mmCIF file of all heavy atoms in Angstrom:
data_model
loop_
_atom_site.group_PDB
_atom_site.id
_atom_site.type_symbol
_atom_site.label_atom_id
_atom_site.label_comp_id
_atom_site.label_asym_id
_atom_site.label_seq_id
_atom_site.Cartn_x
_atom_site.Cartn_y
_atom_site.Cartn_z
ATOM 1 N N GLY A 683 -5.850 57.277 -2.759
ATOM 2 C CA GLY A 683 -4.911 58.415 -2.475
ATOM 3 C C GLY A 683 -3.607 58.183 -1.770
ATOM 4 O O GLY A 683 -2.847 59.040 -1.567
ATOM 5 N N VAL A 684 -3.447 56.965 -1.421
ATOM 6 C CA VAL A 684 -2.293 56.493 -0.684
ATOM 7 C C VAL A 684 -1.286 55.684 -1.653
ATOM 8 O O VAL A 684 -1.878 54.763 -2.184
ATOM 9 C CB VAL A 684 -2.510 55.750 0.627
ATOM 10 C CG1 VAL A 684 -1.214 55.221 1.332
ATOM 11 C CG2 VAL A 684 -3.388 56.598 1.553
ATOM 12 N N SER A 685 -0.092 56.044 -1.603
ATOM 13 C CA SER A 685 0.943 55.154 -2.389
ATOM 14 C C SER A 685 1.914 54.529 -1.583
ATOM 15 O O SER A 685 2.365 55.175 -0.607
ATOM 16 C CB SER A 685 1.561 56.124 -3.445
ATOM 17 O OG SER A 685 0.612 56.695 -4.338
ATOM 18 N N ARG A 686 2.139 53.321 -1.932
ATOM 19 C CA ARG A 686 3.209 52.487 -1.171
ATOM 20 C C ARG A 686 3.958 51.644 -2.132
ATOM 21 O O ARG A 686 3.370 51.155 -3.072
ATOM 22 C CB ARG A 686 2.559 51.663 -0.023
ATOM 23 C CG ARG A 686 2.058 52.449 1.227
ATOM 24 C CD ARG A 686 3.119 52.873 2.082
ATOM 25 N NE ARG A 686 3.692 51.663 2.708
ATOM 26 C CZ ARG A 686 3.235 51.150 3.919
ATOM 27 N NH1 ARG A 686 2.093 51.665 4.500
ATOM 28 N NH2 ARG A 686 3.798 50.166 4.521
ATOM 29 N N ASP A 799 -1.103 48.395 9.067
ATOM 30 C CA ASP A 799 -1.857 48.482 7.921
ATOM 31 C C ASP A 799 -2.996 47.333 7.588
ATOM 32 O O ASP A 799 -3.752 47.339 6.779
ATOM 33 C CB ASP A 799 -1.033 48.617 6.676
ATOM 34 C CG ASP A 799 -0.123 49.882 6.650
ATOM 35 O OD1 ASP A 799 -0.652 50.907 6.557
ATOM 36 O OD2 ASP A 799 1.023 49.632 6.929
ATOM 37 N N LEU A 833 -3.747 50.724 3.570
ATOM 38 C CA LEU A 833 -2.386 51.178 3.533
ATOM 39 C C LEU A 833 -2.341 52.752 3.928
ATOM 40 O O LEU A 833 -3.321 53.442 3.628
ATOM 41 C CB LEU A 833 -1.841 51.003 2.129
ATOM 42 C CG LEU A 833 -1.730 49.701 1.623
ATOM 43 C CD1 LEU A 833 -1.224 49.745 0.144
ATOM 44 C CD2 LEU A 833 -0.824 48.792 2.401
ATOM 45 N N THR A 834 -1.285 52.950 4.739
ATOM 46 C CA THR A 834 -1.044 54.409 5.077
ATOM 47 C C THR A 834 0.302 54.722 4.290
ATOM 48 O O THR A 834 1.098 53.832 4.063
ATOM 49 C CB THR A 834 -0.933 54.649 6.563
ATOM 50 O OG1 THR A 834 0.019 53.701 6.989
ATOM 51 C CG2 THR A 834 -2.214 54.297 7.238
ATOM 52 N N SER A 835 0.373 56.064 4.114
ATOM 53 C CA SER A 835 1.650 56.565 3.533
ATOM 54 C C SER A 835 2.839 56.449 4.465
ATOM 55 O O SER A 835 2.750 56.531 5.699
ATOM 56 C CB SER A 835 1.510 58.042 3.110
ATOM 57 O OG SER A 835 0.535 58.212 2.090
ATOM 58 N N VAL A 836 3.969 56.161 3.929
ATOM 59 C CA VAL A 836 5.195 56.100 4.738
ATOM 60 C C VAL A 836 5.661 57.533 4.885
ATOM 61 O O VAL A 836 5.860 58.357 3.853
ATOM 62 C CB VAL A 836 6.302 55.277 3.969
ATOM 63 C CG1 VAL A 836 7.546 55.320 4.815
ATOM 64 C CG2 VAL A 836 5.846 53.903 3.785
ATOM 65 N N LEU A 837 5.740 58.076 6.162
ATOM 66 C CA LEU A 837 6.072 59.471 6.453
ATOM 67 C C LEU A 837 7.616 59.818 6.453
ATOM 68 O O LEU A 837 8.444 58.943 6.826
ATOM 69 C CB LEU A 837 5.491 59.781 7.801
ATOM 70 C CG LEU A 837 3.991 59.498 7.989
ATOM 71 C CD1 LEU A 837 3.427 59.852 9.341
ATOM 72 C CD2 LEU A 837 3.100 60.028 6.878
ATOM 73 N N PHE A 842 6.722 63.371 10.312
ATOM 74 C CA PHE A 842 6.467 62.712 11.673
ATOM 75 C C PHE A 842 6.532 63.833 12.703
ATOM 76 O O PHE A 842 5.847 63.826 13.691
ATOM 77 C CB PHE A 842 7.571 61.700 11.967
ATOM 78 C CG PHE A 842 7.317 60.353 11.488
ATOM 79 C CD1 PHE A 842 8.075 59.764 10.463
ATOM 80 C CD2 PHE A 842 6.198 59.603 12.069
ATOM 81 C CE1 PHE A 842 7.668 58.454 9.997
ATOM 82 C CE2 PHE A 842 5.945 58.402 11.545
ATOM 83 C CZ PHE A 842 6.637 57.762 10.610
ATOM 84 N N GLY A 914 -2.927 66.080 4.297
ATOM 85 C CA GLY A 914 -2.159 65.913 3.028
ATOM 86 C C GLY A 914 -1.933 64.354 2.795
ATOM 87 O O GLY A 914 -2.888 63.629 2.716
ATOM 88 N N ASN A 915 -0.659 63.979 2.617
ATOM 89 C CA ASN A 915 -0.269 62.562 2.343
ATOM 90 C C ASN A 915 0.129 61.913 3.611
ATOM 91 O O ASN A 915 0.813 60.862 3.640
ATOM 92 C CB ASN A 915 0.697 62.452 1.243
ATOM 93 C CG ASN A 915 0.142 62.747 -0.090
ATOM 94 O OD1 ASN A 915 -1.095 62.419 -0.393
ATOM 95 N ND2 ASN A 915 0.881 63.354 -1.062
ATOM 96 N N SER A 916 0.063 62.592 4.769
ATOM 97 C CA SER A 916 0.579 62.086 6.089
ATOM 98 C C SER A 916 -0.593 61.552 6.807
ATOM 99 O O SER A 916 -1.752 62.136 6.764
ATOM 100 C CB SER A 916 1.305 63.217 6.758
ATOM 101 O OG SER A 916 2.390 63.647 5.975
ATOM 102 N N VAL A 917 -0.340 60.693 7.805
ATOM 103 C CA VAL A 917 -1.399 60.001 8.518
ATOM 104 C C VAL A 917 -0.916 59.768 9.956
ATOM 105 O O VAL A 917 0.385 59.571 10.121
ATOM 106 C CB VAL A 917 -1.873 58.764 7.943
ATOM 107 C CG1 VAL A 917 -0.756 57.718 7.848
ATOM 108 C CG2 VAL A 917 -3.085 58.195 8.651
#
Side-chain angles (χ1 to χ4, degrees):
V684 177
S685 297
R686 287 283 290 274
D799 299 287
L833 298 176
T834 56
S835 295
V836 178
L837 308 181
F842 271 116
N915 289 326
S916 304
V917 65

